[in-house]
Amino acid sequence: MYPGTYAKLTPDKPAVVHTGTGTSISYARLEENSIRLARYLHEAGLRPGDDLALLTDNDPRCFEVYWAAQRSGLYITAVNRYLSADEAAYILNDCGARALVIASKLGELAAALIPRTPVVRHRLSLGEPLPDHESYATALASVSAQPLADQPRGADMLYSSGTTGRPKGVKTPLPDRQVDEPGDQMVALFGTAYGFDQDSVYLSPAPIYHAAPLRFGGMVQALGGTVVLMPRFDAHAALATMAEHRVTHSQWVPTMFVRMLKLEESVRRAYDLSSHRVAIHAAAPCPVEVKQRMIDWWGPILQEYYSCTESNGATAISSADWLRKPGSVGRAIYGVIHICDDAGAEVPTGEVGTVYWAQETPPFNYHNDPDRTAQAQHPDHPKWTTVGDIGRLDADGYLFLTDRKAFMIISGGVSIYPQEVENCLALHPKVLDVAVIGVPDEEMGEAVKAVVRAEAGVLVGPELADELLGYVRDRIAHYKCPRSIDFTEQLPRTPTGKLVKGELRARYLPVANRPKQ
C-alpha cells in the first residue's frame, strides 16, 4: 500500500496536519503533488539511483517530496536545517544531490550553498521565491499530474548525526519493486506490531530530517493514517496536541519524557489522553526511573524499539516485558544479535561487549567511505555489522544497552559508561540537561566529568556541585561518580536530542590534541 491507494478511497482525509500553522495536506493533494514533482524531476533528467535532497523545517510538504522520491527510484537525503553552510554543503556534495528542495525561510543558507554545491543542478524554493531558485509551486504547475509509466520504489539515504565526527551517509540497495507493490520493511516490522491502520493519528514532535520521524511518517501514510506534525517539541504543547487531535500513536526520545515529567502535576493531568494507545520511544536508552514513571502516568502503552539509521537490526519490547526486564531494549525482531569482545570473539551470556547484527546480506554501506564501511563489519564475519553500541544479552535473549563504545571512559583501568551517570543526574529537580565525559587526568588517564545545564533560576556554583555529587553517590557506585562538575548555559545537542559529545570533549582537550575542523 501507498498514499495513492487512499487518494482514491479517502481523497479528502488529511495525510498530514501541521500544528504550528493549522494547515493540512489531503491524500488527494499528497498524491497529485508527489506525482507532479516526480515528473518534474524526471523531465529534469533525474533517473533511478540519483539523489534528491530536502532541507527544510517541519513543513508538511516534506512528505510530497518524500513520496516523489519514493515513486521515482530516487534516494532522498533529508538534511539537518541547523547545519552551517559548510556542513550542509558537505552532505549535499557527498550524496551527489542532483536536485535540492529548500525552505525559502532558509534563504541565507540557500544563497551560501550555491557556490559550495556545484553538484546540485536543480534548486527549488519551498515557499517564497528565492534568487537563483525555481519556485516549488511553479515547478509543480509546469508539469502534468499524470503518473509516470514506471514508478520504481526509491529509498532514503540519511546521514548519521555526526556526534563523534563527520556524518556518514547510509546507503542501502534500492528495492526491486514499484511504489504500489508490497514489501515495505517499516510496515512489516512496525505497522502490524504497533497497530497502525487507517484510523491511526500519529504525533511526530521531532525534526522530520531525522530517520525515525521521516520513516514512521511515511509508514503511517502508506497505511492511510494521519501524521500530526509539530513544528518543534514543547512538553506542554505536546500534551495539548495529543488531546486536541485525539492522537492514537506517538513517538518520543527519552529527553522528551524527562521534560514532560518535570511539568507540574496539574498540567500533566489536565489533558484527556484517553485516545492514546501506543507511545513509541527509541533513539537512546531510557533511564529506568523515567520509563517507570511514564508507565505509571500513561499506563502500559509504551513500546520501545532499538535500531539506528543504518537499519542493520532492530529489537522491540512492550511495557509488560519491560516491567519484567527493566532497562532492556527487548529481543531481536530483525537480524541476529552477537555480543563480541574487542578481538571479535563472542562473549558468554551476560557479559558486556560490542553489539553486532547478522544479516543474510550486508544491509548498508557508508557512502563514499569504504574504510568506515569496513570498520563497521566484524573482522571474521563481513555480514555482521555494528554501529559501536555496547551491551549484553541475558539468558532469554533480551538486550541491555550500556553506551556507545566511543563514549566509554577508562579511568584507572576501569571502564565507566557515561549513560549510567547521565541517567542518574537527569531527574534531579535542579538539572535541565547533563552530559558526562572523560577528561584527561595525569593519575587516572581519564577522569569522569559532568557538564550540567541547570534549571532556570537555579544558582550554580560549588554548593550545587556538592549537592549533585552527593545525589549521584547515593545512587550508583562511587568509582563511577564524577570527579568534578562544570556548569554551562547550553550543551551541544542535535535537534533530535543527541549529545554531540565529540564537540563537548574537544573543549577539554589540550589545544594540540583537539580535532581539526
Side-chain angles (χ1 to χ4, degrees):
M1 290 178 283
Y2 81 116
T5 303
Y6 306 100
K8 296 175 182 177
L9 295 174
T10 53
D12 297 328
K13 180 180 179 178
V16 56
V17 176
H18 189 263
T19 64
T21 61
T23 59
S24 65
I25 295 176
S26 68
Y27 271 97
R29 178 181 161 191
L30 178 62
E31 175 73 353
E32 178 179 338
N33 284 356
S34 66
I35 288 172
R36 287 183 181 274
L37 182 56
R39 182 169 287 279
Y40 172 88
L41 296 170
H42 184 81
E43 293 180 4
L46 274 72
R47 294 294 181 268
D50 286 339
D51 192 277
L52 166 64
L54 174 66
L55 215 170
T56 182
D57 54 359
N58 277 10
D59 188 310
R61 291 170 291 185
C62 291
F63 288 106
E64 296 176 1
V65 182
Y66 174 82
W67 283 106
Q70 296 299 323
R71 66 192 318 141
S72 304
L74 301 177
Y75 285 102
I76 183 165
T77 298
V79 183
N80 181 346
R81 62 156 295 189
Y82 296 98
L83 296 179
S84 69
D86 286 339
E87 291 169 327
Y90 168 78
I91 292 176
L92 295 177
N93 290 323
D94 187 68
C95 72
R98 295 281 307 280
L100 168 65
V101 178
I102 187 167
S104 59
K105 64 180 65 177
L106 303 176
E108 185 176 333
L109 176 59
L113 287 173
I114 292 174
R116 290 173 167 86
T117 54
V119 67
V120 179
R121 310 307 301 169
H122 307 280
R123 301 173 191 269
L124 301 178
S125 63
L126 198 60
E128 299 298 320
L130 290 177
D132 301 310
H133 290 68
E134 185 173 359
S135 162
Y136 177 83
T138 300
L140 267 58
S142 71
V143 295
S144 166
Q146 184 66 28
L148 295 167
D150 184 33
Q151 298 189 92
R153 182 68 188 241
D156 61 54
M157 179 178 158
L158 305 180
Y159 278 69
S160 68
S161 56
T163 56
T164 58
R166 278 219 166 188
K168 306 180 290 290
V170 179
K171 193 167 190 177
T172 58
L174 288 171
D176 183 19
R177 55 190 173 86
Q178 294 286 295
V179 68
D180 59 350
E181 292 179 339
D184 188 295
Q185 186 182 82
M186 286 293 297
V187 171
L189 281 179
F190 299 112
T192 302
Y194 295 156
F196 283 102
D197 58 25
Q198 286 180 257
D199 296 324
S200 298
V201 180
Y202 167 72
L203 176 64
S204 184
I208 200 65
Y209 63 77
H210 190 54
L214 185 65
R215 291 170 178 169
F216 268 80
M219 178 189 70
V220 170
Q221 291 165 349
L223 294 170
T226 296
V227 176
V228 177
L229 195 63
M230 294 181 68
R232 68 191 63 80
F233 171 73
D234 174 83
H236 195 163
L239 298 178
T241 298
M242 293 167 70
E244 178 185 354
H245 291 273
R246 306 299 295 161
V247 165
T248 63
H249 294 68
S250 60
Q251 183 153 182
W252 316 88
V253 297
T255 53
M256 295 176 181
F257 287 161
V258 172
R259 299 288 188 271
M260 290 189 289
L261 286 168
K262 287 188 174 182
L263 292 171
E264 293 290 337
E265 178 77 9
S266 59
V267 174
R268 292 198 283 118
R269 300 292 180 184
Y271 296 98
D272 178 7
L273 306 183
S274 58
S275 63
H276 195 202
R277 302 198 308 269
V278 180
I280 304 160
H281 70 100
C286 188
V288 170
E289 184 180 353
V290 170
K291 186 161 180 175
Q292 182 65 64
R293 288 176 61 182
M294 289 303 300
I295 292 173
D296 292 343
W297 176 15
W298 284 355
I301 68 170
L302 270 69
Q303 295 281 353
E304 182 173 3
Y305 73 90
Y306 159 63
S307 188
C308 56
T309 304
E310 287 82 350
S311 297
N312 58 338
T315 66
I317 190 167
S318 66
S319 289
D321 284 345
W322 185 89
L323 290 168
R324 294 189 302 107
K325 304 275 189 178
S328 175
V329 294
R331 291 191 287 191
I333 59 171
Y334 174 61
V336 178
I337 303 172
H338 299 274
I339 308 295
C340 302
D341 63 20
D342 289 343
E346 290 196 70
V347 301
T349 298
E351 290 193 12
V352 172
T354 300
V355 180
Y356 282 89
W357 289 94
Q359 300 285 356
E360 289 296 320
T361 57
F364 71 93
N365 66 73
Y366 290 125
H367 187 57
N368 291 336
D369 203 335
D371 289 341
R372 281 186 174 179
T373 301
Q375 290 168 13
Q377 296 171 340
H378 188 279
D380 301 317
H381 304 281
K383 294 180 182 179
W384 298 10
T385 57
T386 183
V387 296
D389 285 332
I390 300 292
R392 61 180 174 85
L393 285 173
D394 73 5
D396 299 318
Y398 284 82
L399 177 65
F400 293 76
L401 292 178
T402 306
D403 215 323
R404 275 288 171 99
K405 190 172 185 179
F407 299 156
M408 184 173 66
I409 300 167
I410 301 177
S411 184
V414 177
S415 296
I416 299 168
Y417 298 100
Q419 185 74 51
E420 183 178 3
V421 190
E422 290 165 356
N423 290 350
C424 180
L425 279 167
L427 281 176
H428 190 284
K430 295 181 182 178
V431 173
L432 177 63
D433 200 3
V434 59
V436 173
I437 57 174
V439 297
D441 184 90
E442 288 186 5
E443 178 186 0
M444 306 297 287
E446 284 186 299
V448 181
K449 178 179 285 291
V451 184
V452 170
R453 180 185 176 192
E455 288 281 1
V458 172
L459 181 65
V460 301
E463 289 187 6
L464 179 58
D466 288 344
E467 178 182 340
L468 297 179
L469 289 172
Y471 180 85
V472 176
R473 290 193 187 102
D474 287 344
R475 288 162 174 79
I476 63 175
H478 286 196
Y479 75 88
K480 302 176 184 177
C481 294
R483 295 275 294 272
S484 60
I485 293 180
D486 287 356
F487 296 100
T488 184
E489 293 184 358
Q490 194 72 42
L491 283 169
R493 282 190 182 271
T494 69
T496 56
K498 289 186 178 181
L499 281 165
V500 187
K501 283 196 174 176
E503 179 182 330
L504 183 63
R505 289 196 301 187
R507 300 176 188 176
Y508 292 90
L509 293 175
V511 173
N513 295 339
R514 292 178 184 174
K516 295 180 180 179
Q517 299 297 317

